[in-house]
Amino acid sequence: MTDQATADGVGRQAPVTPPDSRSALAGRLPRALHPGAWWLWALGLATAASHTTNPLPLALLIAAAALVVVRRRGDAPWAFAFRMYLILGAVIVAMRVVFRLVFGGGQGDHVLLHLPEIPLPAWAAGIRLFGPVAAEQLLGGFYDGLRLATMLICLGAANALANPKRLLKAVPGALYAVSTAVVVALSVAPQLVESVLRVRRARRLRGAARQGLRALRGIALPVLADALDRSLALAAAMDSRGYGRTAAIPAGQRALTGGLVLAGLVGVCVGTYGLLDATVPGYLGLPMLIVGLATAVAGMLLAGRQVRRSRYRPDRWRITEVVVAGCGVATAVVMAVAGSVDPVRLYPPVSPLTWPELTPLMLLVVAVAVAPAWLAPPPTLAAHRTPRPVLTAPNGTTRSSPKRDTSESEAQR
Amino acid sequence: MTTALRIAPRTAVVLVLASVAALATFSWPFFVPAQPESMARTTEAPLVFIAVLPILLALVLAELSSGGIDSKALAMLGVLAAVNAALRPLGAGTAGIETVFFLLVLAGRVFGPGFGFLLGATSLFASALLTAGVGPWLPFQMLAAAWIGLGAGLLPARLRGRAEIAVLAGYGALAAYGYGLLMNLWFWPFSIGADTQLSYVAGAPVLDNLHRFAVFTAVTSTFGWDTGRAITTVMAIVLVGPAVLAALRRAARRAAFDAPVTFATTPGPAIPPGQASGLGVRPPG
């Protein structure tokens, strides 16, 4: 991707660019950003959203995420998932409000309308449906739901912007095997469609015209058998390419990593208990949980050093990645500052009913959050991509068919 | 029964500890204390648990694969996860039709508990990536599905024939309801928020909260989604279970997971090139 992006830029900018100025320019050339940067940015936005129930900054954060997505998403299938998260967010808000309407307790002074009450039978003792609907109650549900929906939509933005396949390449060594299995699954899934088509064609050639459940069985089982055979062939191919090479780790170090993981998990269990039991001292709660997690993760990372692997075209963490991730962190930090300066504006009280207000700090939060729409490099789109140099045989036929070519470039992303 | 992935004693301990902690991340509304600052507590606690669970899951997955997964088991894992991920959209959108669990149960049965755990987690992860459904719910779904695969691998090994299908179908129904219950439990505090009559009450007796949760889950999903999911799973296991089991067992025999890999010491062309590639033994099937 990187050299392609630079090739793109060279074509458009100057014919010859010295290497150092090219690396300075790399921020502006179309390229895919490191997926971790997008995730950090999105998590920062989600953290900021979790610190307020004020609908004005929340709506502005949603708008900021949407603008960045629209300006910087690529044209891969996952890039168009953002709409689904918007719908899901709307569903969450609607659900909260409807639940308050149906099961609400009727707290609040400004009763909007009286619905007939329906008492439920004894097995649901104490619960009645409908009843008076207060504005405070609905507004509380709306605020809460909007906060959750905003956090979700921020994560949806990361889904649309970051390439999951490249993110899988960046997992720590201890998770290498599992991430390889996921990569295998992602690459095999499209082949299943082709397998289904092949089996159906073979069935038709044999004159099997049965419909319904039997036909389904006649297709599903051969496809499964085909997939299982494919897995054995794949395993042989992986073996022949040196999969499973491990570094020699002394027994003492292995015992240490195992001990770290076990001790950490015990700490996590104690910390969880401490968090949920109010009678134990405070240090057994969240601090214990964090210490336990840190210990276990350290053990896991140490264990990952056993895995030896080489990377093909690694994603580098450059200045633009730092800037984008920094925007996310700054969003969260400024929002936290705004919360400590003026907590009432961030959590506008529902009763008495008050109009939510914006403060300059909140506007600063939104401005920082939306900055990657201009700071991040534009995405590489298939339409703008320079044609891949195709190896041509002397008689003029291309070496690889177009279909093969797209699947190849898909795998490299 | 073959085991595609051995679970060492240390891994078992890690699995149990992490599962206990993870269960708390599902069921915290029953135990969360009422405190003076309970308002802050109830908004923070869910976020803490949402952040903790992915790490726990990563720890368990790393531990399960720490001995290095055999390449055949890994390829099998990837391919079965792909089949599961491809099956999942078939049911989505139609209320309560769930097509993921039957293959997960059958594969966990054939390839053992460790493999079943990994398959549950990777299937849902791959499916979420394919349909772009990554969100805070994903680790919880992955863990619940992983437990289903693990449990299927722990069913009594001797059963064969009709009794096996009957047990698997029963387990499938149980798993379908259990999965629905767990996901409801996770979603409960988030879906309706505080102060409705179905919300959890921090500090209330466990039974009281259980009652509220029972009403919530009965109202929202048990009769629709969960029953539909159980029926689909049972029907799939009964109808195609025997054939799928046979196909999986044949693949397990051909892969020969249990066969020890030996390196011949005799120099010269004693080893045929086909066998030197790491397969170790000629597959018997």
Side-chain angles (χ1 to χ4, degrees), chain B residues 80-123:
Chain B
L80 285 177
V83 174
N84 258 340
L87 279 176
R88 198 162 173 224
L90 293 184
T94 331
I97 294 186
E98 186 70 69
T99 42
V100 173
F101 289 121
F102 88 97
L103 190 58
L104 179 58
V105 169
L106 296 176
R109 165 80 182 158
V110 171
F111 294 112
F115 188 88
F117 190 94
L118 284 182
L119 181 62
T122 45
S123 295

Coordinates of all heavy atoms in Angstrom, one line a residue, chain B residues 80-123:
Chain B
L80 N -13.7 -23.9 9.6 CA -15.0 -24.1 10.3 C -15.6 -22.8 10.7 O -16.8 -22.5 10.7 CB -14.9 -25.1 11.5 CG -14.8 -26.5 11.1 CD1 -14.6 -27.4 12.3 CD2 -16.0 -27.0 10.3
A81 N -14.7 -21.9 11.2 CA -15.2 -20.5 11.6 C -15.7 -19.8 10.3 O -16.7 -19.1 10.4 CB -14.0 -19.7 12.2
A82 N -15.1 -20.0 9.2 CA -15.6 -19.4 8.0 C -17.0 -20.0 7.6 O -17.9 -19.2 7.3 CB -14.7 -19.7 6.8
V83 N -17.2 -21.3 7.8 CA -18.5 -21.9 7.5 C -19.5 -21.3 8.5 O -20.6 -20.9 8.1 CB -18.4 -23.4 7.6 CG1 -19.8 -24.0 7.5 CG2 -17.5 -24.0 6.6
N84 N -19.2 -21.2 9.7 CA -20.1 -20.6 10.7 C -20.4 -19.2 10.4 O -21.6 -18.7 10.5 CB -19.4 -20.7 12.1 CG -20.0 -21.8 12.9 OD1 -21.0 -22.3 12.6 ND2 -19.2 -22.2 13.9
A85 N -19.4 -18.4 10.0 CA -19.6 -17.0 9.7 C -20.5 -16.9 8.5 O -21.2 -15.9 8.4 CB -18.2 -16.3 9.5
A86 N -20.3 -17.8 7.6 CA -21.2 -17.7 6.4 C -22.6 -18.2 6.7 O -23.6 -17.7 6.1 CB -20.6 -18.6 5.3
L87 N -22.8 -19.1 7.7 CA -24.1 -19.5 8.1 C -24.9 -18.5 8.8 O -26.1 -18.4 8.7 CB -24.0 -20.8 9.0 CG -23.8 -22.1 8.3 CD1 -23.6 -23.2 9.3 CD2 -24.9 -22.5 7.4
R88 N -24.1 -17.6 9.5 CA -24.8 -16.7 10.4 C -25.8 -15.7 9.7 O -26.9 -15.5 10.2 CB -23.8 -15.9 11.3 CG -24.4 -15.3 12.5 CD -23.3 -15.0 13.5 NE -23.8 -14.2 14.6 CZ -23.3 -13.1 15.1 NH1 -22.2 -12.7 14.6 NH2 -23.8 -12.5 16.1
P89 N -25.3 -15.1 8.6 CA -26.3 -14.2 8.0 C -27.5 -14.8 7.4 O -28.5 -14.2 7.2 CB -25.5 -13.6 6.8 CG -24.1 -13.9 7.1 CD -24.1 -15.1 7.9
L90 N -27.5 -16.1 7.2 CA -28.7 -16.8 6.7 C -29.8 -16.6 7.7 O -31.0 -16.6 7.3 CB -28.4 -18.3 6.6 CG -27.4 -18.8 5.5 CD1 -27.3 -20.3 5.4 CD2 -27.8 -18.2 4.2
G91 N -29.5 -16.6 9.0 CA -30.6 -16.6 9.9 C -31.0 -15.1 10.4 O -32.1 -14.9 10.8
A92 N -30.0 -14.2 10.2 CA -30.2 -12.9 10.7 C -31.3 -12.2 10.0 O -31.5 -12.4 8.8 CB -28.9 -12.1 10.6
G93 N -32.1 -11.4 10.7 CA -33.2 -10.7 10.0 C -34.5 -11.5 10.2 O -35.5 -10.9 10.3
T94 N -34.4 -12.8 10.2 CA -35.6 -13.6 10.4 C -35.7 -13.8 11.9 O -34.7 -14.4 12.4 CB -35.6 -14.9 9.7 OG1 -34.8 -14.7 8.5 CG2 -37.0 -15.4 9.3
A95 N -36.8 -13.5 12.5 CA -36.8 -13.5 14.0 C -36.5 -14.9 14.5 O -37.2 -15.8 14.3 CB -38.1 -13.0 14.5
G96 N -35.4 -15.0 15.3 CA -35.2 -16.1 16.1 C -34.6 -17.3 15.4 O -34.4 -18.4 15.9
I97 N -34.3 -17.2 14.1 CA -33.7 -18.3 13.4 C -32.1 -18.1 13.5 O -31.6 -17.2 13.1 CB -34.1 -18.3 11.9 CG1 -35.6 -18.6 11.8 CG2 -33.3 -19.4 11.2 CD1 -36.1 -18.8 10.5
E98 N -31.5 -19.1 14.2 CA -30.1 -19.0 14.5 C -29.4 -20.2 13.9 O -29.7 -21.3 14.3 CB -29.9 -18.9 16.0 CG -28.5 -18.6 16.4 CD -28.0 -17.2 16.1 OE1 -28.5 -16.3 16.7 OE2 -27.2 -17.1 15.2
T99 N -28.5 -20.0 13.0 CA -27.9 -21.1 12.3 C -26.5 -21.4 12.7 O -25.8 -22.2 12.1 CB -28.0 -20.9 10.8 OG1 -27.6 -19.5 10.5 CG2 -29.3 -21.1 10.2
V100 N -26.0 -20.7 13.7 CA -24.6 -20.9 14.1 C -24.4 -22.0 15.0 O -23.4 -22.8 14.9 CB -24.1 -19.6 14.7 CG1 -22.7 -19.7 15.3 CG2 -24.1 -18.4 13.8
F101 N -25.3 -22.2 15.9 CA -25.0 -23.1 17.1 C -24.8 -24.6 16.7 O -24.1 -25.3 17.3 CB -26.0 -22.9 18.2 CG -25.9 -21.6 18.8 CD1 -27.0 -20.8 18.8 CD2 -24.8 -21.2 19.4 CE1 -26.9 -19.5 19.4 CE2 -24.7 -20.0 20.0 CZ -25.7 -19.2 20.0
F102 N -25.6 -25.1 15.7 CA -25.5 -26.5 15.5 C -24.1 -27.0 15.1 O -23.6 -28.0 15.6 CB -26.6 -27.0 14.6 CG -26.3 -26.9 13.1 CD1 -25.9 -28.1 12.5 CD2 -26.4 -25.8 12.4 CE1 -25.5 -28.1 11.2 CE2 -26.0 -25.8 11.1 CZ -25.6 -26.9 10.4
L103 N -23.5 -26.2 14.2 CA -22.2 -26.6 13.7 C -21.2 -26.5 14.9 O -20.3 -27.3 15.0 CB -21.7 -25.8 12.5 CG -20.5 -26.4 11.8 CD1 -20.6 -27.8 11.4 CD2 -20.1 -25.5 10.7
L104 N -21.4 -25.4 15.7 CA -20.5 -25.2 16.8 C -20.6 -26.3 17.8 O -19.5 -26.9 18.3 CB -20.9 -23.9 17.5 CG -20.1 -23.4 18.7 CD1 -18.7 -23.3 18.4 CD2 -20.7 -22.1 19.2
V105 N -21.8 -26.8 18.1 CA -22.0 -27.9 19.0 C -21.4 -29.2 18.4 O -20.6 -29.9 19.1 CB -23.5 -28.1 19.3 CG1 -23.7 -29.4 20.0 CG2 -24.0 -27.0 20.1
L106 N -21.6 -29.5 17.2 CA -21.1 -30.7 16.6 C -19.6 -30.7 16.5 O -19.0 -31.7 16.8 CB -21.7 -30.9 15.2 CG -23.3 -31.1 15.1 CD1 -23.8 -31.2 13.7 CD2 -23.7 -32.3 15.9
A107 N -19.0 -29.6 16.1 CA -17.6 -29.5 16.0 C -16.9 -29.6 17.4 O -15.9 -30.2 17.5 CB -17.1 -28.2 15.3
G108 N -17.5 -28.9 18.4 CA -17.0 -29.1 19.7 C -17.0 -30.5 20.2 O -16.1 -31.0 20.8
R109 N -18.1 -31.2 19.8 CA -18.2 -32.6 20.2 C -17.1 -33.5 19.5 O -16.5 -34.3 20.2 CB -19.6 -33.1 19.7 CG -19.8 -34.6 19.6 CD -20.1 -35.1 21.0 NE -20.3 -36.5 21.0 CZ -20.1 -37.3 22.1 NH1 -19.8 -36.7 23.2 NH2 -20.3 -38.5 22.0
V110 N -16.8 -33.2 18.3 CA -15.9 -34.1 17.6 C -14.4 -33.7 17.9 O -13.6 -34.6 18.1 CB -16.1 -34.0 16.0 CG1 -15.0 -34.6 15.3 CG2 -17.4 -34.6 15.7
F111 N -14.2 -32.4 18.0 CA -12.7 -32.0 18.1 C -12.3 -31.6 19.5 O -11.2 -31.2 19.7 CB -12.5 -30.8 17.2 CG -12.6 -31.1 15.7 CD1 -13.6 -30.5 15.0 CD2 -11.7 -31.9 15.1 CE1 -13.7 -30.8 13.6 CE2 -11.8 -32.2 13.8 CZ -12.8 -31.7 13.0
G112 N -13.2 -31.7 20.5 CA -12.8 -31.5 21.9 C -13.1 -30.1 22.4 O -13.4 -29.2 21.7
P113 N -13.0 -30.0 23.8 CA -13.4 -28.7 24.4 C -12.6 -27.5 24.0 O -13.1 -26.4 23.8 CB -13.3 -29.1 25.9 CG -12.5 -30.3 26.0 CD -12.7 -31.0 24.7
G114 N -11.2 -27.7 24.0 CA -10.4 -26.6 23.7 C -10.7 -26.0 22.3 O -10.8 -24.8 22.1
F115 N -10.8 -26.9 21.3 CA -11.1 -26.5 20.0 C -12.5 -25.8 19.9 O -12.7 -24.8 19.2 CB -11.1 -27.7 19.1 CG -11.2 -27.4 17.6 CD1 -10.1 -27.2 16.9 CD2 -12.4 -27.4 17.0 CE1 -10.2 -26.9 15.5 CE2 -12.5 -27.1 15.6 CZ -11.4 -26.9 14.9
G116 N -13.4 -26.4 20.6 CA -14.8 -25.8 20.7 C -14.8 -24.4 21.2 O -15.4 -23.5 20.6
F117 N -14.0 -24.2 22.2 CA -13.9 -22.8 22.8 C -13.3 -21.9 21.8 O -13.9 -20.8 21.5 CB -13.0 -22.9 24.0 CG -12.9 -21.6 24.8 CD1 -13.8 -21.5 25.9 CD2 -12.1 -20.6 24.5 CE1 -13.8 -20.3 26.7 CE2 -12.1 -19.4 25.2 CZ -13.0 -19.3 26.3
L118 N -12.2 -22.3 21.1 CA -11.6 -21.4 20.1 C -12.6 -21.2 19.0 O -12.7 -20.1 18.4 CB -10.3 -22.0 19.6 CG -9.1 -21.8 20.6 CD1 -7.9 -22.4 19.9 CD2 -8.9 -20.4 20.9
L119 N -13.3 -22.2 18.6 CA -14.2 -22.1 17.4 C -15.3 -21.1 17.7 O -15.7 -20.3 16.9 CB -14.7 -23.5 17.0 CG -15.7 -23.4 15.8 CD1 -14.9 -23.0 14.6 CD2 -16.3 -24.8 15.6
G120 N -15.9 -21.2 18.9 CA -16.9 -20.3 19.3 C -16.5 -18.8 19.2 O -17.1 -18.0 18.6
A121 N -15.3 -18.6 19.7 CA -14.8 -17.2 19.8 C -14.4 -16.8 18.3 O -14.8 -15.7 17.9 CB -13.5 -17.1 20.7
T122 N -13.7 -17.6 17.6 CA -13.3 -17.1 16.3 C -14.4 -17.0 15.3 O -14.4 -16.1 14.5 CB -12.2 -18.1 15.6 OG1 -12.6 -19.4 15.8 CG2 -10.9 -17.9 16.2
S123 N -15.4 -17.9 15.4 CA -16.6 -17.8 14.5 C -17.3 -16.5 14.6 O -17.5 -15.8 13.7 CB -17.6 -18.9 14.9 OG -17.1 -20.1 14.6

